[in-house]
Amino acid sequence: MRRGFQSIHHRLFFLFLFCMSGILIIISLLFYSRTTEQFQTKISDLSRKNVSQTVDLFDLLLKGYDSLSKTIGNNFDLVRLLTESPQEPALDYINTRSVTNMIGAIFYSREDLIGIHVIMDKGKIYNYGNYMNVVDPEYRRADWYRDVRQSSGKMVWLGVFPHSLIDQNEKRTVFAFGRQIYDLNEHKPIGIVLYEANPQAILSALNNLKLSEHSEVYLVSDKGRFVSSTASAEALPSLQDIPLPDDSQEMTVDQKNGRLAVASKLPFADWLVVSLTPYKDLNVELVQMQRYIILIGTILVLVSAFIASIVSKRISMPLIRLIRQMKQVEQGNFKGIVNVTSYREINILVGSFNHMVNRIEELIERVKISSVSEKNAELHALQSQVNPHFLYNTLDMIYWMMDEKGNDKLGEVVLSLSHMFRYSSQWEEGAEVTLREEFGQIHHYLTIILVRLEGRLEVELKTDERYMDIRIPKMTLQPIIENAVKHGLEPLLNRPGMLTISTVADSRELAIRIEDNGVGIEEEKLRRLRESLYGLCTAGGRRSGGGAPDAAHGPAGPGAGGG
């Protein structure tokens, strides 16, 4: 399994798969995060607008009820009749009927009224609504009565109740509100009026605030009492965890504890509208989108794996076929040809391999043919040795062939080698040449050396043109330079080599100095070499034709010849 994972096919497959899947996952997470943020922001804005519209609806509704409540307190005739206390029963009956008729006119002015109850301080009660009404004898002890009595003429919004506050026979749900009635002449309270209306408009407005099936909406009084709600009495929440608007705020939005809470003031009443929506309802679309992203992501990952498999195979299969053919070549089979159609680089690689195999096969055939005539070649080689001119003429021919093919560098090496053979073949005992000719020979030799060392050697030639016609023994400098290169400069590994050839003249002689910055030489060995050289020169021994002894060399170790 480990060897299989190390193959280029598996590595490319997992590389493409991880890259494409990683990009896909990152984009999906960023998209989901951004969408969630935008969704929550839109939900908050929608809740604000919804609450704002409902508050405006409440404001309009309550203003209508407030205007309705003033039709009794501002009716001079009705207030006058309510303040009169006639002693005669007939007159009292007429007054009662007149008051009842006036209240009835107000009652029928709106379709949503359930009952109007005028309660005088002296104990007399006028009711209009349910013909079979039964007044609660304990109404004066009720909280609603006390709140209206203490209102100083302001409208008191009592809220939604499951039944009438004063009529024991009225079992319908009512929305109750009331205010004091004042004597318009003496400006003192004479009683209260209690209105009971159908709460459907209030409840519809509350239901309009529900953002989901499990949302709950509450009307809360300034004293913290729940005036009305869409939830049951047992499920009323605690207002301590809900941030409510203060004097500087009209609305608050809070997203904590797994729910969205929106609270807003009613401008016409000292009430608050509070809407609570659990996140699980708000996130239904997000959950669906999450499932959709997971489904699409899974499909895209599978598609990515399929694409990665195709791409990795398209790259690896030509290489695998090439490796198989290489193993056949290792076993000596040069007949196979790899035919693939892949990417440009792989096609070039396969084409180069096929060309190489063909060339190897051709070379093998040539070796077989040449082995048959090997003895003839040896004979021709002996004949070429007899006639050295044949050798450098052949080298000249090779040079021109390479020149025609544009291989200038190798042609220059062959040409230099040809000149060296031509120079050395013209050998006579005690032959002398000019310094110019000797430097020409050295130039051809160093051309070959510079190519062989591949840029690891630099050569500096310092001479004066006036000394170039001085004659010296032939092949004097090459052995010394050869020893300097071989023993001093070739072993250099960490720095480039430098070979300097210069001429220094005084009144008696011309000194040719050969210096290098090679690896150096031991002092004892240098001493023996110098003694050997001086001894040979004293004895008149001949070494230039057959190769000179190792020249002195080192970081600045010179070898010298004189002429």
Side-chain angles (χ1 to χ4, degrees):
M1 179 64 184
R2 182 175 178 81
R3 293 184 61 186
F5 181 75
Q6 291 178 350
S7 66
I8 187 172
H9 169 64
H10 289 87
R11 293 204 173 190
L12 288 175
F13 171 77
F14 286 110
L15 176 63
F16 292 147
L17 180 61
F18 289 156
C19 289
M20 290 186 287
S21 301
I23 294 173
L24 175 63
I25 292 174
I26 292 174
I27 293 176
S28 299
L29 292 177
L30 292 176
F31 173 76
Y32 180 76
S33 175
R34 180 62 178 170
T35 304
T36 302
E37 181 180 353
Q38 292 179 345
F39 180 78
Q40 292 177 351
T41 302
K42 289 181 179 180
I43 287 295
S44 299
D45 294 341
L46 178 62
S47 300
R48 288 176 180 271
K49 294 178 181 179
N50 200 12
V51 170
S52 178
Q53 292 176 356
T54 304
V55 167
D56 293 341
L57 178 61
F58 272 120
D59 186 41
L60 182 63
L61 183 64
L62 295 182
K63 283 182 178 179
Y65 285 145
D66 181 70
S67 177
L68 174 68
S69 67
K70 294 178 181 178
T71 56
I72 291 180
N74 296 337
N75 190 325
F76 288 92
D77 295 334
L78 180 59
V79 172
R80 180 179 57 78
L81 293 175
L82 292 175
T83 55
E84 290 180 354
S85 300
Q87 300 297 325
E88 299 179 5
L91 185 58
D92 183 61
Y93 175 78
I94 293 173
N95 286 350
T96 301
R97 291 295 301 175
S98 297
V99 170
T100 302
N101 290 336
M102 291 182 183
I103 295 175
I106 297 173
F107 177 84
Y108 286 110
S109 66
R110 294 182 64 103
E111 295 182 355
D112 57 345
L113 289 176
I114 294 178
I116 301 177
H117 310 278
V118 178
I119 304 171
M120 305 304 294
D121 291 345
K122 296 180 180 180
K124 194 168 184 178
I125 301 176
Y126 299 92
N127 295 303
Y128 205 96
N130 188 358
Y131 293 102
M132 301 297 295
N133 61 75
V134 177
V135 177
D136 182 9
E138 302 294 332
Y139 70 87
R140 291 183 180 271
R141 298 180 181 179
D143 293 337
W144 66 267
Y145 183 78
R146 183 174 60 254
D147 291 340
V148 176
R149 288 280 296 171
Q150 297 175 356
S151 64
S152 301
K154 293 175 60 177
M155 172 64 75
V156 178
W157 304 103
L158 299 175
V160 179
F161 298 90
H163 52 76
S164 174
L165 297 178
I166 193 171
D167 188 356
Q168 293 182 338
N169 279 342
E170 184 59 67
K171 302 302 181 182
R172 288 180 292 177
T173 303
V174 297
F175 172 63
F177 53 94
R179 68 190 315 157
Q180 281 188 323
I181 302 175
Y182 281 83
D183 186 343
L184 300 179
N185 294 322
E186 299 180 4
H187 197 68
K188 65 178 182 178
I190 58 175
I192 67 170
V193 57
L194 173 67
Y195 294 90
E196 293 179 330
N198 190 336
Q200 187 60 43
I202 301 293
L203 298 178
S204 297
L206 293 179
N207 286 325
N208 187 52
L209 286 175
K210 297 180 69 173
L211 297 177
S212 68
E213 179 183 356
H214 300 93
S215 295
E216 299 296 345
V217 184
Y218 309 92
L219 272 178
V220 185
S221 68
D222 58 341
K223 298 179 181 179
R225 182 177 65 87
F226 287 93
V227 177
S228 179
S229 71
T230 58
S232 61
E234 295 79 9
L236 295 177
S238 173
L239 298 179
Q240 296 179 355
D241 299 333
I242 302 174
L244 302 178
D246 52 23
D247 295 337
S248 61
Q249 297 175 308
E250 293 295 331
M251 184 182 301
T252 59
V253 178
D254 181 64
Q255 300 185 37
K256 294 180 180 177
N257 303 323
R259 50 98 180 110
L260 173 65
V262 183
S264 178
K265 292 180 179 180
L266 289 179
F268 195 75
D270 294 330
W271 287 353
L272 291 174
V273 178
V274 180
S275 173
L276 300 179
T277 305
Y279 268 154
K280 64 180 181 179
D281 290 352
L282 297 178
N283 294 337
V284 171
E285 294 184 9
L286 290 178
V287 172
Q288 293 177 351
M289 184 181 67
Q290 184 180 15
R291 293 175 180 174
Y292 177 76
I293 290 176
I294 293 175
L295 176 61
I296 297 301
T298 303
I299 295 174
L300 291 179
V301 168
L302 295 177
V303 173
S304 300
F306 177 72
I307 296 175
S309 177
I310 293 177
V311 174
S312 61
K313 284 185 178 180
R314 184 171 177 80
I315 295 176
S316 62
M317 289 306 296
L319 297 178
I320 293 174
R321 295 175 60 183
L322 181 60
I323 292 172
R324 291 175 181 172
Q325 187 59 36
M326 285 181 177
K327 292 182 178 180
Q328 293 293 323
V329 173
E330 289 179 358
Q331 298 175 2
N333 182 10
F334 296 94
K335 301 296 183 181
I337 298 296
V338 182
N339 295 317
V340 297
T341 302
S342 184
Y343 299 100
R344 180 172 177 269
E345 291 79 2
I346 296 179
N347 292 336
I348 293 175
L349 177 62
V350 172
S352 299
F353 173 77
N354 291 333
H355 179 69
M356 181 190 68
V357 172
N358 291 332
R359 291 290 296 165
I360 292 175
E361 186 178 9
E362 291 176 2
L363 291 175
I364 291 175
E365 292 297 327
R366 291 181 182 180
V367 169
K368 290 180 180 179
I369 295 173
S370 63
S371 63
V372 176
S373 57
E374 181 178 355
K375 292 184 179 180
N376 294 330
E378 291 177 355
L379 180 59
H380 287 297
L382 292 174
Q383 292 175 353
S384 298
Q385 291 178 0
V386 174
N387 186 5
H389 293 282
F390 173 79
L391 180 59
Y392 56 74
N393 288 336
T394 303
L395 291 175
D396 286 343
M397 179 186 67
I398 295 174
Y399 165 74
W400 290 113
M401 292 175 64
M402 291 182 176
D403 183 69
E404 291 176 355
K405 293 185 178 181
N407 197 336
D408 297 333
K409 192 172 184 180
L410 186 56
E412 187 178 359
V413 172
V414 173
L415 184 60
S416 297
L417 183 61
S418 173
H419 285 296
M420 287 182 63
F421 274 111
R422 189 186 302 272
Y423 186 83
S424 62
S425 64
Q426 298 174 356
W427 177 261
E428 294 180 4
E429 183 68 20
E432 290 185 351
V433 293
T434 63
L435 186 58
R436 190 188 310 277
E437 293 174 337
E438 189 71 358
F439 276 177
Q441 169 69 1
I442 295 306
H443 171 74
H444 296 310
Y445 169 73
L446 290 177
T447 298
I448 300 173
I449 294 302
L450 289 175
V451 173
R452 181 162 62 87
L453 294 183
E454 297 179 345
R456 292 189 293 119
L457 175 63
E458 293 184 11
V459 178
E460 185 176 9
L461 182 62
K462 299 178 181 180
T463 184
D464 196 330
E465 182 64 24
R466 58 184 174 177
Y467 305 134
M468 298 304 289
D469 293 329
I470 294 176
R471 301 187 69 82
I472 62 173
K474 192 175 184 178
M475 297 295 289
T476 299
L477 302 180
Q478 179 180 336
I480 301 174
I481 295 174
E482 184 176 356
N483 286 336
V485 173
K486 177 179 179 182
H487 298 289
L489 297 173
E490 282 189 357
L492 291 177
L493 298 177
N494 299 325
R495 55 189 175 90
M498 184 68 188
L499 179 66
T500 304
I501 305 172
S502 60
T503 57
V504 180
D506 56 17
S507 59
R508 295 188 308 108
E509 63 182 6
L510 173 67
I512 302 175
R513 301 181 63 86
I514 300 173
E515 301 174 300
D516 67 87
N517 63 342
V519 297
I521 188 173
E522 298 175 0
E523 289 293 332
E524 180 61 23
K525 188 175 181 180
L526 180 60
R527 183 185 61 80
R528 285 190 276 107
L529 286 173
R530 285 175 174 172
E531 290 178 354
S532 175
L533 287 173
Y534 294 152
L536 289 174
C537 292
T538 303
R542 179 177 58 85
R543 300 288 293 177
S544 60
D550 290 352
H553 58 271

PDB file of all heavy atoms in Angstrom, residues 26-38:
ATOM      1  N   ILE A  26     -13.972  25.394   1.512  1.00  0.00           N
ATOM      2  CA  ILE A  26     -13.753  26.767   1.976  1.00  0.00           C
ATOM      3  C   ILE A  26     -14.812  27.704   1.401  1.00  0.00           C
ATOM      4  O   ILE A  26     -15.393  28.532   2.115  1.00  0.00           O
ATOM      5  CB  ILE A  26     -12.331  27.231   1.594  1.00  0.00           C
ATOM      6  CG1 ILE A  26     -11.281  26.443   2.404  1.00  0.00           C
ATOM      7  CG2 ILE A  26     -12.176  28.736   1.836  1.00  0.00           C
ATOM      8  CD1 ILE A  26      -9.868  26.728   1.989  1.00  0.00           C
ATOM      9  N   ILE A  27     -15.078  27.573   0.098  1.00  0.00           N
ATOM     10  CA  ILE A  27     -16.097  28.429  -0.520  1.00  0.00           C
ATOM     11  C   ILE A  27     -17.471  28.163   0.083  1.00  0.00           C
ATOM     12  O   ILE A  27     -18.245  29.097   0.348  1.00  0.00           O
ATOM     13  CB  ILE A  27     -16.112  28.198  -2.041  1.00  0.00           C
ATOM     14  CG1 ILE A  27     -14.803  28.702  -2.675  1.00  0.00           C
ATOM     15  CG2 ILE A  27     -17.313  28.885  -2.685  1.00  0.00           C
ATOM     16  CD1 ILE A  27     -14.693  28.428  -4.153  1.00  0.00           C
ATOM     17  N   SER A  28     -17.790  26.891   0.346  1.00  0.00           N
ATOM     18  CA  SER A  28     -19.089  26.549   0.933  1.00  0.00           C
ATOM     19  C   SER A  28     -19.224  27.143   2.337  1.00  0.00           C
ATOM     20  O   SER A  28     -20.281  27.695   2.693  1.00  0.00           O
ATOM     21  CB  SER A  28     -19.259  25.032   0.979  1.00  0.00           C
ATOM     22  OG  SER A  28     -19.209  24.477  -0.320  1.00  0.00           O
ATOM     23  N   LEU A  29     -18.173  27.029   3.153  1.00  0.00           N
ATOM     24  CA  LEU A  29     -18.226  27.575   4.513  1.00  0.00           C
ATOM     25  C   LEU A  29     -18.366  29.098   4.486  1.00  0.00           C
ATOM     26  O   LEU A  29     -19.148  29.673   5.251  1.00  0.00           O
ATOM     27  CB  LEU A  29     -16.973  27.170   5.286  1.00  0.00           C
ATOM     28  CG  LEU A  29     -16.850  25.671   5.618  1.00  0.00           C
ATOM     29  CD1 LEU A  29     -15.529  25.398   6.325  1.00  0.00           C
ATOM     30  CD2 LEU A  29     -18.013  25.219   6.497  1.00  0.00           C
ATOM     31  N   LEU A  30     -17.600  29.753   3.618  1.00  0.00           N
ATOM     32  CA  LEU A  30     -17.702  31.207   3.521  1.00  0.00           C
ATOM     33  C   LEU A  30     -19.094  31.618   3.040  1.00  0.00           C
ATOM     34  O   LEU A  30     -19.683  32.583   3.561  1.00  0.00           O
ATOM     35  CB  LEU A  30     -16.631  31.746   2.568  1.00  0.00           C
ATOM     36  CG  LEU A  30     -15.180  31.628   3.045  1.00  0.00           C
ATOM     37  CD1 LEU A  30     -14.227  32.117   1.959  1.00  0.00           C
ATOM     38  CD2 LEU A  30     -14.969  32.420   4.330  1.00  0.00           C
ATOM     39  N   PHE A  31     -19.627  30.897   2.058  1.00  0.00           N
ATOM     40  CA  PHE A  31     -20.969  31.197   1.551  1.00  0.00           C
ATOM     41  C   PHE A  31     -22.019  30.988   2.632  1.00  0.00           C
ATOM     42  O   PHE A  31     -22.911  31.825   2.823  1.00  0.00           O
ATOM     43  CB  PHE A  31     -21.267  30.321   0.339  1.00  0.00           C
ATOM     44  CG  PHE A  31     -22.682  30.432  -0.162  1.00  0.00           C
ATOM     45  CD1 PHE A  31     -23.080  31.537  -0.896  1.00  0.00           C
ATOM     46  CD2 PHE A  31     -23.615  29.437   0.118  1.00  0.00           C
ATOM     47  CE1 PHE A  31     -24.383  31.648  -1.349  1.00  0.00           C
ATOM     48  CE2 PHE A  31     -24.915  29.543  -0.332  1.00  0.00           C
ATOM     49  CZ  PHE A  31     -25.296  30.656  -1.061  1.00  0.00           C
ATOM     50  N   TYR A  32     -21.908  29.873   3.384  1.00  0.00           N
ATOM     51  CA  TYR A  32     -22.880  29.581   4.441  1.00  0.00           C
ATOM     52  C   TYR A  32     -22.807  30.624   5.551  1.00  0.00           C
ATOM     53  O   TYR A  32     -23.831  31.100   6.051  1.00  0.00           O
ATOM     54  CB  TYR A  32     -22.638  28.186   4.997  1.00  0.00           C
ATOM     55  CG  TYR A  32     -23.608  27.802   6.092  1.00  0.00           C
ATOM     56  CD1 TYR A  32     -24.911  27.434   5.793  1.00  0.00           C
ATOM     57  CD2 TYR A  32     -23.208  27.816   7.427  1.00  0.00           C
ATOM     58  CE1 TYR A  32     -25.799  27.087   6.793  1.00  0.00           C
ATOM     59  CE2 TYR A  32     -24.092  27.477   8.431  1.00  0.00           C
ATOM     60  CZ  TYR A  32     -25.389  27.112   8.112  1.00  0.00           C
ATOM     61  OH  TYR A  32     -26.263  26.779   9.103  1.00  0.00           O
ATOM     62  N   SER A  33     -21.573  30.992   5.946  1.00  0.00           N
ATOM     63  CA  SER A  33     -21.413  31.991   6.999  1.00  0.00           C
ATOM     64  C   SER A  33     -21.980  33.337   6.573  1.00  0.00           C
ATOM     65  O   SER A  33     -22.703  34.000   7.339  1.00  0.00           O
ATOM     66  CB  SER A  33     -19.927  32.128   7.358  1.00  0.00           C
ATOM     67  OG  SER A  33     -19.727  33.150   8.291  1.00  0.00           O
ATOM     68  N   ARG A  34     -21.653  33.736   5.338  1.00  0.00           N
ATOM     69  CA  ARG A  34     -22.157  35.017   4.855  1.00  0.00           C
ATOM     70  C   ARG A  34     -23.675  34.995   4.713  1.00  0.00           C
ATOM     71  O   ARG A  34     -24.358  35.967   5.082  1.00  0.00           O
ATOM     72  CB  ARG A  34     -21.507  35.340   3.497  1.00  0.00           C
ATOM     73  CG  ARG A  34     -21.953  36.648   2.874  1.00  0.00           C
ATOM     74  CD  ARG A  34     -21.593  37.818   3.749  1.00  0.00           C
ATOM     75  NE  ARG A  34     -21.975  39.081   3.124  1.00  0.00           N
ATOM     76  CZ  ARG A  34     -21.960  40.253   3.729  1.00  0.00           C
ATOM     77  NH1 ARG A  34     -21.583  40.326   5.000  1.00  0.00           N
ATOM     78  NH2 ARG A  34     -22.294  41.350   3.093  1.00  0.00           N
ATOM     79  N   THR A  35     -24.222  33.909   4.209  1.00  0.00           N
ATOM     80  CA  THR A  35     -25.670  33.802   4.044  1.00  0.00           C
ATOM     81  C   THR A  35     -26.380  33.816   5.397  1.00  0.00           C
ATOM     82  O   THR A  35     -27.427  34.448   5.553  1.00  0.00           O
ATOM     83  CB  THR A  35     -26.015  32.519   3.281  1.00  0.00           C
ATOM     84  OG1 THR A  35     -25.320  32.507   2.034  1.00  0.00           O
ATOM     85  CG2 THR A  35     -27.501  32.415   3.029  1.00  0.00           C
ATOM     86  N   THR A  36     -25.792  33.110   6.390  1.00  0.00           N
ATOM     87  CA  THR A  36     -26.380  33.095   7.730  1.00  0.00           C
ATOM     88  C   THR A  36     -26.419  34.494   8.327  1.00  0.00           C
ATOM     89  O   THR A  36     -27.425  34.921   8.905  1.00  0.00           O
ATOM     90  CB  THR A  36     -25.578  32.155   8.637  1.00  0.00           C
ATOM     91  OG1 THR A  36     -25.570  30.839   8.072  1.00  0.00           O
ATOM     92  CG2 THR A  36     -26.200  32.090  10.021  1.00  0.00           C
ATOM     93  N   GLU A  37     -25.314  35.203   8.165  1.00  0.00           N
ATOM     94  CA  GLU A  37     -25.263  36.575   8.690  1.00  0.00           C
ATOM     95  C   GLU A  37     -26.300  37.467   8.007  1.00  0.00           C
ATOM     96  O   GLU A  37     -27.015  38.234   8.674  1.00  0.00           O
ATOM     97  CB  GLU A  37     -23.848  37.129   8.487  1.00  0.00           C
ATOM     98  CG  GLU A  37     -23.669  38.540   9.020  1.00  0.00           C
ATOM     99  CD  GLU A  37     -22.266  39.050   8.793  1.00  0.00           C
ATOM    100  OE1 GLU A  37     -21.400  38.255   8.345  1.00  0.00           O
ATOM    101  OE2 GLU A  37     -22.012  40.240   9.042  1.00  0.00           O
ATOM    102  N   GLN A  38     -26.370  37.386   6.685  1.00  0.00           N
ATOM    103  CA  GLN A  38     -27.354  38.201   5.964  1.00  0.00           C
ATOM    104  C   GLN A  38     -28.778  37.800   6.322  1.00  0.00           C
ATOM    105  O   GLN A  38     -29.662  38.660   6.452  1.00  0.00           O
ATOM    106  CB  GLN A  38     -27.135  38.059   4.458  1.00  0.00           C
ATOM    107  CG  GLN A  38     -25.838  38.690   3.958  1.00  0.00           C
ATOM    108  CD  GLN A  38     -25.656  38.512   2.464  1.00  0.00           C
ATOM    109  OE1 GLN A  38     -26.331  37.702   1.840  1.00  0.00           O
ATOM    110  NE2 GLN A  38     -24.738  39.270   1.884  1.00  0.00           N
TER     111      GLN A  38
END
